[in-house]
Amino acid sequence: MKSTEFRHPVKVRKYEKYGIICLNLVFIRCMDIAEILELAEDIVFSKTGKHLDRLQKTVLKGTVQGQTYLEIAKNNGFSESHVKNVGHELWHLLSSALGQKVTKSNFSSIFKNLKNNNKFIVSGVCQNNSTFNNINIFTSEEQSPTSPQNYQQTPKQPYIDLGDAPEIFSFFDRTSELSTLENWITQDRTRLIALLGISGIGKTTLALCLIDPIKTQFDYIIYRSLRFSPTLEQYLSKILKIFSELSEIPQNIETQISQTLDYLRKYRCLIILDDVQALFSSNQLAGHYKSGYEDYQLFFKQITEVNHNSCFLLVSSEKLREIAELEKSNSPIHSLVLGSLGLGAKEILSSYQLLESETWETLINIYQGNPLWLNITAALIRELFSCKVADFLQYDMPVLDESLQSRLEQLLGRLTEEEIAVITQLAQETEGVLLSEILNKIKLSNSDLINVIKSLCMRFLLETQEREKITFFTLNPVVAQYVKTRQKHY
């Protein structure tokens, strides 16, 4: 847990009976338990703006008295596991407030060290303007009962765990998209957001760059990738370990989901879940979960239906079927599809020191404003064309670097035979075509063709155009070029 700095005052407590503050919770003689609980509550309140509940106070009282979790549970009519959960949450809160790890076993020794280091005691006498980890405990104004108390809470410093997130070295213009996501999360309190788009379009970069401007709104910010397809049990086990110090995480999926939802209610969390498409089967229509991964669908549905103040941001190159079904005008769920980076992509070309900037817009349009595709192509131009974009554009476009072809093969490798048949046909078209025209050229039933078209749109390989209230379909030009190249090799 990162150290958190506090500058706001904590409600004053006068210990006139004893004249000093003694925080060694093992050898306490000059403070009774009630006073310890009051002080602990003030410290926690300074961090969270919330008071300790009855069971948290009971656990703290039992700890001061040297009781085990089992003894606390038996004496108060709770299960041992529940008391452990509450206890570990309590130590987590104190750890965050004090800026160091607090556990049941080291609780008293930490406060003893604070005493010995004179952070609360100066020669055994309470001093005016004493501070504790930048928490102002006593001020001259607060010692006067007639002085008004001015309480101002500083922004929260969340616990941030980015896990296996890639390091972001540059972020190009996505101002509009960033603003939309911020509003959905901070103003609309959206519970689930799907950030979608074709591979390489910049979804992960945008999600990670979203963290800094909104981080003070949250208690926890967690990033995890599903690229290696963990089961929901495996994923939730890792998430629960972040919230709790329990050595044993429940293996029952229903209990894991229930506990996770409890934490989403207790804390305001932003959880970014990347590479969600890894949960879906290859060689099936888009959005079909792999066998054994169907629990994710139930979990995502519960995230939208259960009342809480947290937000899940799902990042995927395939649209989730449940998003389309659950997304309504007044529902706590939204989706954002990333398109071309537009002229903001000029920064990418500039970073490769490409020449002839007047040709850059043409290059950006050819490669659909896709940051990954442009990075690969810009590197090719620098290496083989001495950074001269005009020389590169003399060739039939788009030219596909081997690395780019490999990326595109990964996309096509997920498709069904019917999807391959449709995109192969569309690759030959020079203009958008109607659904009925595709049906005349492909031997599929109406239902099968509609499902295939829908699936290709969910993978962001097909684009739609509206002309006089008629929908035309076109294949992504870069994908179309690769399909033609691919055919020559088969």
Side-chain angles (χ1 to χ4, degrees):
M1 178 65 64
K2 294 182 178 179
S3 175
T4 304
E5 186 171 304
F6 299 89
R7 296 185 175 87
H8 49 282
V10 177
K11 183 178 178 183
V12 77
R13 303 289 182 190
K14 289 189 175 181
Y15 300 99
E16 297 176 346
K17 179 178 179 181
Y18 305 105
I20 63 172
I21 299 175
C22 180
L23 290 178
N24 182 352
L25 298 182
V26 174
F27 304 105
I28 289 177
R29 300 185 183 279
C30 55
M31 294 176 63
D32 62 25
I33 290 177
E35 289 174 317
I36 298 168
L37 292 177
E38 285 180 332
L39 184 56
E41 175 152 330
D42 284 341
I43 293 173
V44 171
F45 186 81
S46 74
K47 168 65 177 175
T48 67
K50 299 177 182 178
H51 297 285
L52 293 175
D53 60 32
R54 183 175 67 87
L55 186 51
Q56 286 174 320
K57 292 179 180 179
T58 298
V59 171
L60 185 57
K61 178 180 177 181
T63 300
V64 173
Q65 294 174 333
Q67 296 178 0
T68 65
Y69 283 131
L70 180 59
E71 290 171 335
I72 296 172
K74 287 182 177 180
N75 292 340
N76 294 277
F78 295 100
S79 68
E80 183 182 9
S81 61
H82 184 50
V83 170
K84 281 185 177 180
N85 281 333
V86 172
H88 289 307
E89 290 174 10
L90 176 60
W91 310 136
H92 173 81
L93 287 174
L94 290 171
S95 296
S96 181
L98 302 180
Q100 57 183 306
K101 189 175 182 63
V102 178
T103 66
K104 189 175 189 296
S105 60
N106 71 9
F107 179 54
S108 57
S109 64
I110 284 179
F111 281 98
K112 181 180 179 181
N113 289 334
L114 292 174
K115 170 191 171 183
N116 294 336
N117 291 333
N118 295 322
K119 289 193 175 181
F120 252 83
I121 301 174
V122 181
S123 300
V125 180
C126 177
Q127 301 291 320
N128 290 345
N129 298 319
S130 296
T131 60
F132 172 51
N133 254 27
N134 296 316
I135 301 177
N136 189 1
I137 301 297
F138 293 98
T139 68
S140 56
E141 290 183 357
E142 288 174 325
Q143 290 189 15
S144 170
T146 60
S147 298
Q149 294 184 12
N150 295 319
Y151 176 82
Q152 290 183 332
Q153 184 168 341
T154 57
K156 290 185 291 188
Q157 295 297 320
Y159 175 82
I160 300 178
D161 184 343
L162 299 185
D164 51 355
E167 185 175 1
I168 303 302
F169 295 100
S170 57
F171 176 62
F172 304 110
D173 185 32
R174 288 285 191 188
T175 304
S176 174
E177 295 90 340
L178 201 60
S179 177
T180 296
L181 291 173
E182 286 185 32
N183 287 334
W184 284 348
I185 294 172
T186 62
Q187 302 300 322
D188 298 346
R189 294 285 176 139
T190 306
R191 295 174 191 160
L192 189 145
I193 297 173
L195 182 56
L196 308 167
I198 196 168
S199 177
I201 202 65
K203 303 181 295 297
T204 299
T205 298
L206 178 60
L208 292 173
C209 289
L210 174 67
I211 293 174
D212 192 61
I214 64 173
K215 63 184 180 183
T216 58
Q217 304 279 333
F218 294 92
D219 300 303
Y220 287 85
I221 296 177
I222 302 168
Y223 171 97
R224 287 294 182 273
S225 170
L226 299 179
R227 69 173 64 90
F228 297 118
S229 304
T231 63
L232 183 59
E233 292 93 330
Q234 292 170 331
Y235 169 69
L236 291 182
S237 293
K238 293 181 179 179
I239 293 297
L240 288 172
K241 286 180 181 178
I242 294 175
F243 292 114
S244 172
E245 295 177 357
L246 287 175
S247 58
E248 293 186 4
I249 299 296
Q251 296 303 307
N252 180 277
I253 186 61
E254 289 82 6
T255 304
Q256 288 182 337
I257 292 176
S258 177
Q259 287 191 359
T260 301
L261 292 173
D262 284 343
Y263 285 119
L264 296 182
R265 283 187 286 263
K266 188 175 183 66
Y267 304 106
R268 179 142 164 76
C269 309
L270 173 63
I271 299 182
I272 301 172
L273 202 52
D274 204 352
D275 297 305
V276 174
Q277 74 279 351
L279 303 177
F280 305 138
S281 295
S282 297
N283 309 125
Q284 291 194 40
L285 296 180
H288 276 279
Y289 286 88
K290 296 176 182 177
S291 177
Y293 291 83
E294 297 85 357
D295 285 338
Y296 274 100
Q297 186 173 23
L298 171 63
F299 178 61
F300 295 149
K301 190 169 184 290
Q302 284 191 278
I303 291 298
T304 66
E305 294 176 343
V306 175
N307 185 33
H308 59 82
N309 283 322
S310 297
C311 178
F312 265 72
L313 179 60
L314 309 183
V315 182
S316 179
S317 59
E318 286 186 24
K319 188 169 186 177
L320 292 76
R321 291 171 177 263
E322 51 267 37
I323 295 294
E325 296 170 0
L326 297 172
E327 190 175 15
K328 302 173 185 176
S329 59
N330 61 344
S331 66
I333 177 172
H334 290 296
S335 62
L336 177 65
V337 179
L338 287 192
S340 169
L341 190 55
L343 296 181
K346 286 186 176 182
E347 293 184 55
I348 297 175
L349 307 184
S350 176
S351 68
Y352 284 90
Q353 300 179 325
L354 298 191
L355 304 176
E356 302 151 336
S357 59
E358 68 276 6
T359 64
W360 289 4
E361 186 173 353
T362 300
L363 186 67
I364 290 169
N365 291 336
I366 291 172
Y367 290 92
Q368 304 297 292
N370 186 301
L372 175 63
W373 298 354
L374 284 168
N375 269 291
I376 293 173
T377 304
L380 176 67
I381 295 172
R382 182 177 63 182
E383 182 179 357
L384 299 184
F385 295 87
S386 302
C387 295
K388 297 177 181 178
V389 177
D391 288 355
F392 175 74
L393 292 176
Q394 291 179 3
Y395 293 83
D396 290 337
M397 290 288 122
V399 172
L400 304 181
D401 181 270
E402 183 180 9
S403 178
L404 178 51
Q405 290 188 36
S406 176
R407 303 275 183 161
L408 295 171
E409 180 59 33
Q410 292 176 18
L411 296 180
L412 269 60
R414 297 181 60 83
L415 306 186
T416 64
E417 292 182 3
E418 292 78 9
E419 287 176 302
I420 291 293
V422 169
I423 65 170
T424 299
Q425 178 60 47
L426 290 176
Q428 311 305 318
E429 307 290 343
T430 56
E431 295 181 354
V433 297
L434 297 170
L435 191 62
S436 58
E437 294 176 323
I438 302 174
L439 187 60
N440 290 333
K441 298 176 181 179
I442 302 291
K443 294 182 179 180
L444 290 173
S445 69
N446 290 349
S447 295
D448 286 345
L449 178 61
I450 289 173
N451 285 329
V452 167
I453 294 294
K454 177 184 175 182
S455 178
L456 290 170
C457 289
M458 289 174 66
R459 299 184 198 273
F460 309 103
L461 299 178
L462 281 192
E463 300 170 2
T464 59
Q465 298 175 349
E466 294 289 333
R467 303 179 201 163
E468 298 180 355
K469 298 183 179 181
I470 300 176
T471 302
F472 293 83
F473 296 91
T474 59
L475 185 62
N476 182 295
V478 175
V479 175
Q481 180 62 30
Y482 178 66
V483 170
K484 295 175 185 177
T485 302
R486 193 172 186 258
Q487 280 182 290
K488 296 177 182 178
H489 293 89
Y490 288 94

